[in-house]
Amino acid sequence: MGRDINVGIFGLGTVGCGVVKILQDNADVIRKRLGFGINIKKVFSHTSKCKNLLTNYTYTKDYKELFDERIDIVLELIGGIDVARRFVIEAIEHKKNIVSANKALLANYGVEIFSKAAKNGVKIGFEASVAGGVPIIKIITRDLMANNIKSIKAIVNGTCNYILSQMFETHESFETILNKAIKEGYAERDPSFDIDGIDSAQKMAILAAISFNAKIEEKDVYVEGIRDIDFIDIDFARQLGYRIKLLGIASMKNERLLVRVAPYFVEAENILAKVDGVYNAISVISDMTGQTTYVGKGAGSLPTASSVVADIIDIAKDFESGKVKDTLSKGVFEKTEFVDIDSLESHFYIRFSVIDSVGVLANIAYVLSKYDISIKSVVQTGKGLDVVPLLVLTHKAKESNIKKAILEIEQDHKSIIKNGTVLIRVLE
């Protein structure tokens, strides 16, 4: 039987309250399985929804009390970047092991934090920073450690997946489903962080760093969101045997890394196309195990808190064995060159908004051909309206050529092109 492990909590928001609930409601189960208990010793938080749930702890007005020598592990659950970064760095300098759910922090300062943790001989647990209740960090850093990872394709934002799934099922517009998601609590009142792809980009930066030993930050991720997707795009994809999903993709090509977040046409039989609602899915392709896919709830108080507690337990087990092993070694992150997305080739879906008149398709097809882009399929809907959608699926083309062609069409054919053009890649 080992001694009890004491934790300090910095921040009692949604995730923090979930951690409190798990540690207190399942205290007996944890003690039986570990042979010792995990106690909440001190808490620092300006606000809290669950102070009344806490027992046998000290609520402190000074965060530095969390560096008490009796506290073994500190939980950073406040979110944000600046305050969280200062706290985590200071905690590491006080030789405290850290568990964090802070994707924004790790996507921007992960290399600094992991390096400092290694120098100070402490461990950083960050399972909850990506995909909530899906244990993808441990899978990559432990279970697939002997594998050379080739690529990751992932749905890592439940809000966007819910919106796209609902549009597919109900045939309603993006705006209608977004408002529904906000009312039902699946989206924030300001949903920009999710629907513009920022949340997914932060998570993909973390996954790419640990999968490819790469120095990568959020700014290195190419990002597109789902604001411009309409039901007409989803219906056209369905007719062709695809579903539209917001994917995060990380892959290594000729020793150069490409990490991007964007909507994709995904073949209906692909496992990622079948993951709906608020669920996340991460598909990893590696040299020894091939493709493995992990699915689960990507957000919410208890799924995310469960990942936090799992990290606490991992570190607690290290204490019992007498040695805390750092999660990632000091030299694991290597300077990385990045692939220019414009150099890639893909099939593309393009939605033009055009006036309904003779010769429009011919003009568009002519410009596309100038840039070596051939049309695989084309549909014009809404006949009789002044402005109608023209839907084009191309054969494989270079991304830079697609963008040049669209720019020329929009600039030189303003008399026939109205509104913005929508471009979606097709997942190979």
Side-chain angles (χ1 to χ4, degrees):
M1 293 282 288
R3 72 170 179 84
D4 283 3
I5 297 298
N6 295 323
V7 301
I9 303 178
F10 187 72
L12 276 182
T14 300
V15 175
C17 288
V19 171
V20 169
K21 181 175 176 58
I22 293 172
L23 288 178
Q24 294 196 159
D25 288 2
N26 293 348
D28 290 343
V29 172
I30 293 170
R31 184 176 291 276
K32 286 177 182 177
R33 290 177 177 173
L34 281 178
F36 54 87
I38 297 174
N39 304 320
I40 300 170
K41 195 71 174 177
K42 290 187 178 182
V43 175
F44 174 84
S45 182
H46 292 301
T47 60
S48 173
K49 303 173 184 176
C50 57
K51 284 184 186 178
N52 59 320
L53 295 179
L54 284 160
T55 58
N56 301 321
Y57 81 105
T58 299
Y59 185 79
T60 176
K61 294 183 179 180
D62 183 355
Y63 74 86
K64 293 187 178 181
E65 290 189 28
L66 298 179
F67 306 147
D68 187 319
E69 62 181 11
R70 294 170 295 174
I71 292 178
D72 304 295
I73 304 167
V74 176
L75 315 185
E76 183 280 300
L77 303 176
I78 196 164
I81 296 180
D82 293 338
V83 172
R85 180 191 178 200
R86 288 196 299 270
F87 173 77
V88 167
I89 294 298
E90 194 170 346
I92 291 171
E93 289 171 347
H94 280 82
K95 310 297 183 183
K96 295 300 176 186
N97 299 281
I98 308 291
V99 175
S100 175
N102 196 330
K103 55 186 171 288
L105 174 66
L106 296 173
N108 289 281
Y109 294 102
V111 173
E112 174 193 19
I113 289 169
F114 293 131
S115 177
K116 188 169 285 289
K119 288 178 182 177
N120 283 273
V122 299
K123 186 171 181 178
I124 307 291
F126 57 106
E127 185 65 69
S129 65
V130 178
V134 183
I136 190 64
I137 303 298
K138 289 184 178 65
I139 288 166
I140 291 172
T141 58
R142 184 183 62 195
D143 301 338
L144 296 178
M145 184 180 288
N147 283 252
N148 180 22
I149 294 176
K150 302 295 186 181
S151 70
I152 295 175
K153 299 179 178 70
I155 297 168
V156 287
N157 185 272
T159 297
C160 290
N161 204 42
Y162 171 83
I163 290 171
L164 295 172
S165 300
Q166 284 290 298
M167 289 174 70
F168 179 86
E169 292 173 9
T170 67
H171 300 189
E172 293 178 320
S173 69
F174 174 83
E175 291 78 12
T176 299
I177 298 300
L178 175 58
N179 289 330
K180 180 181 176 183
I182 292 171
K183 288 178 182 177
E184 295 185 358
Y186 294 128
E188 300 291 338
R189 292 194 177 276
D190 179 2
S192 302
F193 190 70
D194 294 312
I195 65 176
D196 290 336
I198 300 167
D199 173 78
S200 295
Q202 292 175 349
K203 294 171 181 175
M204 291 308 299
I206 296 169
L207 289 180
I210 63 174
S211 298
F212 300 104
N213 304 333
K215 286 184 177 180
I216 178 172
E217 299 176 6
E218 180 185 345
K219 64 179 176 59
D220 300 314
V221 182
Y222 178 89
V223 187
E224 294 177 11
I226 64 169
R227 282 184 188 270
D228 296 329
I229 292 176
D230 191 83
F231 172 69
I232 192 172
D233 307 316
I234 287 176
D235 189 51
F236 187 64
R238 179 189 59 78
Q239 293 176 41
L240 296 175
Y242 295 96
R243 294 284 300 274
I244 296 178
K245 295 290 182 181
L246 182 70
L247 295 185
I249 299 179
S251 58
M252 190 72 76
K253 182 180 180 182
N254 299 325
E255 303 302 317
R256 300 175 73 193
L257 182 63
L258 176 60
V259 188
R260 68 271 202 197
V261 171
Y264 277 83
F265 272 36
V266 182
E267 288 185 348
E269 294 307 309
N270 188 310
I271 190 170
L272 294 176
K274 300 175 185 293
V275 177
D276 286 329
V278 296
Y279 280 80
N280 282 192
I282 300 99
S283 183
V284 182
I285 296 179
S286 55
D287 58 351
M288 297 300 161
T289 58
Q291 180 173 331
T292 53
T293 304
Y294 312 91
V295 180
K297 287 188 177 180
S301 173
L302 293 179
T304 306
S306 178
S307 290
V308 171
V309 174
D311 280 337
I312 296 170
I313 289 172
D314 274 355
I315 297 173
K317 287 179 177 177
D318 285 346
F319 271 106
E320 187 186 29
S321 68
K323 181 181 179 183
V324 177
K325 313 175 194 71
D326 58 349
T327 310
L328 299 167
S329 66
K330 181 173 63 175
V332 72
F333 298 107
E334 300 172 352
K335 187 175 180 180
T336 305
E337 290 189 18
F338 295 94
V339 175
D340 181 357
I341 194 168
D342 286 346
S343 68
L344 299 184
E345 291 188 349
S346 177
H347 294 81
F348 292 87
Y349 161 82
I350 312 171
R351 169 164 51 89
F352 297 101
S353 294
V354 301
I355 63 168
D356 188 10
S357 66
V358 176
V360 169
L361 178 58
N363 285 326
I364 290 175
Y366 170 72
V367 176
L368 292 176
S369 68
K370 280 177 58 179
Y371 292 93
D372 296 322
I373 302 163
S374 61
I375 295 175
K376 183 177 181 180
S377 177
V378 62
V379 172
Q380 180 175 310
T381 64
K383 196 167 183 64
L385 300 175
D386 291 336
V387 178
V388 297
L390 181 67
L391 314 177
V392 176
L393 191 69
T394 76
H395 287 284
K396 186 169 284 190
K398 195 172 182 179
E399 176 131 355
S400 60
N401 288 347
I402 287 281
K403 291 177 178 176
K404 289 175 185 176
I406 291 174
L407 182 62
E408 181 173 324
I409 290 168
E410 290 182 334
Q411 289 184 345
D412 295 352
H413 297 273
K414 292 180 180 178
S415 62
I416 63 172
I417 297 292
K418 307 297 179 181
N419 304 322
T421 301
V422 173
L423 176 67
I424 303 177
R425 298 161 191 84
V426 178
L427 183 67
E428 299 299 323

